[in-house]
């Protein structure tokens, strides 16, 4: 544009950062109900907006994970992201359920690589966040009721179990890719292009 070269990587990272900073940290259920009371939305519309917001958050987490696995985000940056989401430095604040789901989504895709293929900053971040998740899972309100739903508690425990086992889990291993595997796939794709083959993205 105007003869200037566009830095795609920088533009992508800036857009990703903006999307991350715009994630609501408040209870989206309460926010939607408050909005519905003002514009008279029916339950179906509220549920549609809730799912739309949640899908947007999960898609962003997948993008952030892919950026890290392709070395476009450093272990230090990705570590600070999950620590920020988990409120590791704000023990008196508990992240909302959709934020915890974001953490679980990220750890599912990058946990192994961040802990075992990154520098000390990655291992430290995984250790702190998993410790924080363990504390959050056990927390209860003043009435003695768990602060998170059973579904989310199971999700947290599942990640903790997988991390304890060295991220060994059949379903997880199929979804996660190491940086070396990604590099090999890119090399195969390039060779296929040079031979004029059609790339399917599958083995």
């Amino acid at each position: 544009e105007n003869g200037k070269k566009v830095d795609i990587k920088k533009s992508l990272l800036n857009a990703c950062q903006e999307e991350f900073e715009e994630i609501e940290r408040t209870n989206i259920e309460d926010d939607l109900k408050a909005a519905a009371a003002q514009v008279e939305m029916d339950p179906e519309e509220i549920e549609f907006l809730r799912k739309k917001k949640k899908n947007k958050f999960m898609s962003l987490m997948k993008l952030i994970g892919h950026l890290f696995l392709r070395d476009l985000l450093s272990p230090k940056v990705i570590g600070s992201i999950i620590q920020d989401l988990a409120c590791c430095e704000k023990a008196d604040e508990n992240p909302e359920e959709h934020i915890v789901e974001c953490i679980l989504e990220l750890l599912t895709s990058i946990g192994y690589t961040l802990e075992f293929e990154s520098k000390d900053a990655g291992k430290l971040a995984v250790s702190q966040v998993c410790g924080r998740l363990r504390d959050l899972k056990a927390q209860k309100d003043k009435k003695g009721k768990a602060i998170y739903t059973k579904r989310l508690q199971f999700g947290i425990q599942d990640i903790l179990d997988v991390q304890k086992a060295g991220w060994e889990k059949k379903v997880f291993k199929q979804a996660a890719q190491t940086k070396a595997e990604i590099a090999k796939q890119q090399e195969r794709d390039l060779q296929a292009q040079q031979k004029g083959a059609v790339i399917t993205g599958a083995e």
Side-chain angles (χ1 to χ4, degrees), residues 10-198:
K10 184 177 181 180
S11 298
L12 177 60
L13 293 179
N14 286 341
C16 189
Q17 180 177 353
E18 290 177 6
E19 288 290 327
F20 178 76
E21 292 175 350
E22 289 177 2
I23 293 179
E24 290 107 322
R25 301 304 178 98
T26 54
N27 189 305
I28 58 175
E29 304 287 346
D30 293 341
D31 292 345
L32 287 173
K33 288 179 181 178
Q38 295 181 352
V39 297
E40 298 183 357
M41 286 190 290
D42 57 40
E44 289 78 12
E45 290 178 298
I46 296 176
E47 180 62 15
F48 172 78
L49 290 176
R50 186 190 70 79
K51 287 184 177 180
K52 184 178 180 180
K53 281 179 174 289
K54 183 178 176 179
N55 289 339
K56 181 181 179 181
F57 299 152
M58 294 304 107
S59 295
L60 178 59
M61 293 304 109
K62 290 178 181 177
L63 173 59
I64 290 174
H66 284 312
L67 291 175
F68 167 68
L69 292 173
R70 284 160 177 75
D71 289 322
L72 294 175
L73 287 177
S74 69
K76 183 177 180 179
V77 170
I78 200 74
S80 67
I81 287 175
I82 57 175
Q83 288 170 319
D84 176 60
L85 290 172
C87 301
C88 287
E89 297 183 0
K90 301 176 182 178
D92 57 331
E93 294 183 19
N94 296 325
E96 295 294 338
E97 289 215 352
H98 66 283
I99 297 297
V100 176
E101 290 186 68
C102 286
I103 299 170
L104 299 182
E105 177 67 39
L106 258 182
L107 286 177
T108 296
S109 62
I110 69 168
Y112 174 84
T113 303
L114 186 60
E115 183 168 10
F116 294 115
E117 295 191 1
S118 302
K119 297 180 180 179
D120 292 341
K123 292 183 178 181
L124 178 61
V126 171
S127 176
Q128 288 184 339
V129 171
C130 285
R132 176 67 166 147
L133 287 174
R134 190 176 294 108
D135 292 340
L136 291 172
K137 176 178 175 289
Q139 282 196 30
K140 301 182 184 301
D141 60 21
K142 294 180 180 179
K143 296 181 180 180
K145 182 180 178 181
I147 63 174
Y148 296 122
T149 62
K150 283 289 186 182
R151 179 186 63 80
L152 194 56
Q153 290 180 59
F154 287 137
I156 292 174
Q157 189 59 52
D158 190 43
I159 280 291
L160 294 177
D161 289 343
V162 173
Q163 189 268 339
K164 185 177 180 180
W167 302 99
E168 289 289 334
K169 182 179 178 182
K170 184 176 181 181
V171 175
F172 174 81
K173 288 175 70 177
Q174 290 175 344
Q177 285 182 297
T178 66
K179 292 182 179 180
E181 289 170 340
I182 291 173
K184 288 180 180 178
Q185 181 62 53
Q186 291 175 336
E187 183 178 352
R188 287 194 293 268
D189 290 347
L190 181 59
Q191 291 175 349
Q193 281 182 321
Q194 292 173 341
K195 294 179 181 178
V198 176

